Amino acid sequence: MTWQGLNADVENWNVTTPVAKSDKGVVAAQHRFAAQAGAAMLDKGGNAIDAIVATAYALNAVEPWMCGIGGSGFMVVWLAKEKRAVALDFQGTLPMDIDLADYPPDPDLPPTPMGFPTVVDNANVEGYKSITVPGAVAGLNHALEKFGTLSLPTTLDPAIRLAEQGVALDWFSMLQISLCSRVLARDPVSSDIYLPAGHPAIAEHVLNIPKLADTLKEIAVTGTEGFYRGALAKRIVSDLQAGGSRISLADLASYEVQEFEPMEAQHRGHTLYTCGDTSGGLRQREMLAHTMENMPTPPTDPTPDTWVAYGEALDACWKAHKIRNGVITEQGACTSSMSSVDADGNMVALTYTLLNRFGSGVTLPSTGMLMNDSVSYFDPRPGYPTTMEGGKRINSSNMCPTVAVKDGEAVFSVGASGGNLIMPAVTQVAALMMDFGMDIEQAVHHPRIDASFSGIVRADPRLGVDVLNALSKKWKLEVSQLLVYPKLYACVSGVSRDPKSGICAGVNDPSQPIGGAAGSAPFKLPYIGDDKTIVRA
């Protein structure tokens, strides 16, 4: 079979997303308002760590369905002055009193997105029993305290202002809510917020999340101590236990961030830093090594053989991962990824998540926190390495925040959301920059493939007929256009810095209509008037 006449099966539009450039630093994120919140920290004289923390907190108010203080994740930081990288694991943990009896498998339900049995009432995927101890506040505050320069109240200010104003709903927000209406309807608080009158909140209205702004204000004052051991912790646990969770005050109080030396991968003079075995980092290192073996000297521009080499490398690293892991990893999960860089060359890649879109579907009534459903990372059956066990930490993820360094200078950082799609997308964007000298804008916009040792390779038709024909000779080929939904190639955010000129650039994936990047500038609340009507820019 040859791939001709593709236009018959392709939508008649194509989009790009603008790149932001500045010599004072840039932030890229899956929501442009959050990127602007982070960039405002650069304008205040803060560094890339201040910027990423402000961005991550702001996402609670503008992209709550993907991540937030009820979630967990990974971060990689490049400290320019010290010329060293640091990784943070702030993944969630199971409550010490977790009981397998609460999760009886239901043979009539399909497996979870992680490949484990789904249990009665979807309790490991939806509702209070699906929630792990959230690590996000501990992780973000740890980074700020150790490596940032601004205060916690300063970095939280844009998030608080956005939460007080409310979310200006657009069609993309409506899509996210509609996709999860069934799960949101199970929780009375989430239903009141996102499904007023029993229907998804509609565009061109303002959506308010009660108590969220107050919770962010309390975090700004009491910090990590208040969230995990103070009055806020008591309200969180009271809500959780009232809903059936076994998370206790002791579980919150004992939570710890893991700081460690990141995993390194070498590729064409670059050193790539990731969070290692428990992230997508090991697969990334294996893919790049396989690519070097099959393509020791890249051509001037990508050729059909390039994409075959990338496909073989993806298959090889996924095969090794599946042998090591023994289970299917998450498919189509929802996450948020962001990157930042400052004028001094500090650089950060951060990915954090509620796991599935809207996580557990639970909004805690006393705090406005939307909670994760990360219990589904664990097997409800006894006797497996991944079996649920009290205090066990999430130890396998596709998240792959990456910082690349060359000649002692950070040159780009990149991450993505999208479950199984994350590592292939992140590594291809990185490879296109290192193998072919593309800049961050070119690499993020370049069409990609996806492969995970399934016998199938998915390919963007923009790669062209010659590439598709070459791929189809080796794999069953799924030709799929880059779309807003479903996202078939992950959603990438990245920044770069030219060490010679000092020019920083940032860009978000064109499949994310609310995403964007921002250079250093004061923060301004967007698009909503004092009377809570939508104001056109």
Side-chain angles (χ1 to χ4, degrees):
M1 178 183 293
T2 58
W3 296 93
Q4 306 288 343
L6 286 171
N7 289 339
D9 298 320
V10 175
E11 295 184 19
N12 61 349
W13 55 270
N14 192 17
V15 295
T16 60
T17 188
V19 62
K21 293 185 178 181
S22 170
D23 61 359
K24 297 179 181 178
V26 168
V27 182
Q30 286 179 202
H31 200 294
R32 62 191 182 279
F33 298 161
Q36 291 165 13
M41 300 305 107
L42 301 174
D43 183 69
K44 290 178 178 293
N47 63 17
I49 297 87
D50 301 312
I52 211 74
V53 172
T55 301
Y57 271 120
L59 287 167
N60 284 270
V62 294
E63 196 193 33
W65 46 84
M66 289 293 185
C67 64
I69 56 179
S72 58
F74 291 110
M75 186 187 307
V76 179
V77 180
W78 174 256
L79 302 170
K81 187 175 181 180
E82 301 175 35
K83 293 193 180 298
R84 70 181 181 99
V86 177
L88 300 180
D89 175 332
F90 50 97
Q91 289 282 63
T93 58
L94 293 174
M96 288 301 301
D97 290 338
I98 198 162
D99 189 341
L100 288 179
D102 291 342
Y103 305 92
D106 187 338
D108 295 328
L109 292 175
T112 70
M114 313 301 287
F116 299 131
T118 297
V119 307
V120 173
D121 198 35
N122 280 327
N124 57 341
V125 180
E126 302 171 5
Y128 279 85
K129 292 180 182 178
S130 70
I131 299 169
T132 60
V133 176
V137 170
L140 297 177
N141 292 359
H142 179 96
L144 186 68
E145 291 165 8
K146 288 205 67 175
F147 311 117
T149 62
L150 301 177
S151 70
L152 185 58
T154 298
T155 55
L156 269 163
D157 180 65
I160 292 168
R161 292 165 61 192
L162 286 164
E164 287 177 330
Q165 176 181 257
V167 180
L169 292 177
D170 53 24
W171 69 267
F172 187 74
S173 308
M174 284 185 62
L175 171 65
Q176 305 308 307
I177 295 169
S178 299
L179 289 168
C180 294
S181 294
R182 182 192 62 79
V183 177
L184 293 169
R186 295 186 55 170
D187 180 68
V189 181
S190 293
S191 181
D192 285 347
I193 296 169
Y194 300 103
L195 305 173
H199 301 286
I202 61 174
E204 301 202 0
H205 286 72
V206 177
L207 184 149
N208 290 291
I209 304 175
K211 307 292 181 66
L212 178 60
D214 290 338
T215 297
L216 293 172
K217 289 177 183 177
E218 190 165 353
I219 293 171
V221 174
T222 65
T224 305
E225 182 66 23
F227 187 92
Y228 290 93
R229 288 170 284 277
L232 180 54
K234 292 178 181 178
R235 296 201 304 278
I236 291 170
V237 169
S238 178
D239 284 349
L240 286 169
Q241 292 187 350
S245 170
R246 290 181 178 268
I247 293 174
S248 67
L249 281 170
D251 291 321
L252 280 180
S254 63
Y255 184 82
E256 294 183 351
V257 178
Q258 295 180 350
E259 179 183 324
F260 56 99
E261 290 187 10
M263 174 178 282
E264 297 182 16
Q266 305 298 324
H267 192 77
R268 308 201 196 279
H270 296 75
T271 301
L272 282 77
Y273 295 99
T274 66
C275 289
D277 291 1
T278 58
S279 73
L282 179 57
R283 277 166 282 165
Q284 181 186 90
R285 184 167 71 178
E286 291 171 340
M287 179 194 167
L288 292 172
H290 198 281
T291 298
M292 283 291 292
E293 183 178 340
N294 285 358
M295 191 171 60
T297 304
T300 303
D301 297 300
T303 67
D305 287 343
T306 299
W307 296 102
V308 171
Y310 286 168
E312 290 176 340
L314 285 170
D315 263 0
C317 72
W318 272 104
K319 179 180 180 180
H321 174 72
K322 290 178 178 180
I323 291 171
R324 287 190 298 264
N325 208 42
V327 296
I328 302 170
T329 52
E330 75 259 37
Q331 300 180 27
C334 297
T335 298
S336 198
S337 191
M338 60 221 78
S339 292
S340 64
V341 59
D342 62 34
D344 294 325
N346 299 299
M347 194 173 284
V348 188
L350 164 64
T351 308
Y352 83 132
T353 185
L354 298 176
L355 186 54
N356 288 317
R357 186 181 282 105
F358 284 99
S360 61
V362 168
T363 300
L364 300 186
S366 297
T367 63
M369 291 169 53
L370 190 60
M371 301 304 293
N372 68 81
D373 64 331
S374 296
V375 167
S376 56
Y377 271 111
F378 301 92
D379 200 320
R381 301 167 296 180
Y384 291 87
T386 49
T387 295
M388 297 176 188
E389 182 181 329
K392 184 178 284 187
R393 194 181 195 93
I394 298 168
N395 61 9
S396 180
S397 172
N398 286 308
M399 291 185 283
C400 196
T402 301
V403 174
V405 174
K406 186 176 183 180
D407 299 328
E409 300 271 4
V411 290
F412 67 84
S413 71
V414 65
S417 63
N420 275 2
L421 309 172
I422 292 175
M423 189 284 301
V426 169
T427 310
Q428 282 177 82
V429 168
L432 289 170
M433 296 178 74
M434 296 182 292
D435 291 344
F436 301 102
M438 293 187 189
D439 61 30
I440 191 75
E441 181 179 17
Q442 293 169 323
V444 169
H445 281 87
H446 201 285
R448 303 188 293 267
I449 65 172
D450 184 75
S452 58
F453 191 60
S454 64
I456 299 173
V457 166
R458 178 182 297 144
D460 189 320
R462 294 177 299 154
L463 287 167
V465 170
D466 290 343
V467 172
L468 300 181
N469 285 337
L471 294 171
S472 68
K473 292 176 183 178
K474 188 171 181 65
W475 294 279
K476 181 179 178 180
L477 190 61
E478 177 187 311
V479 180
S480 301
Q481 186 181 5
L482 181 73
L483 300 172
V484 170
Y485 181 82
K487 280 189 167 48
L488 302 175
Y489 299 96
C491 179
V492 176
S493 293
V495 299
S496 65
R497 181 176 181 271
D498 182 345
K500 294 181 179 179
S501 67
I503 297 297
C504 306
V507 67
N508 184 254
D509 199 281
S511 70
Q512 183 79 352
I514 61 174
S520 173
F523 181 70
K524 296 180 180 179
L525 282 174
Y527 301 142
I528 300 178
D530 292 337
D531 59 352
K532 294 295 183 181
T533 57
I534 306 300
V535 177
R536 298 299 177 196

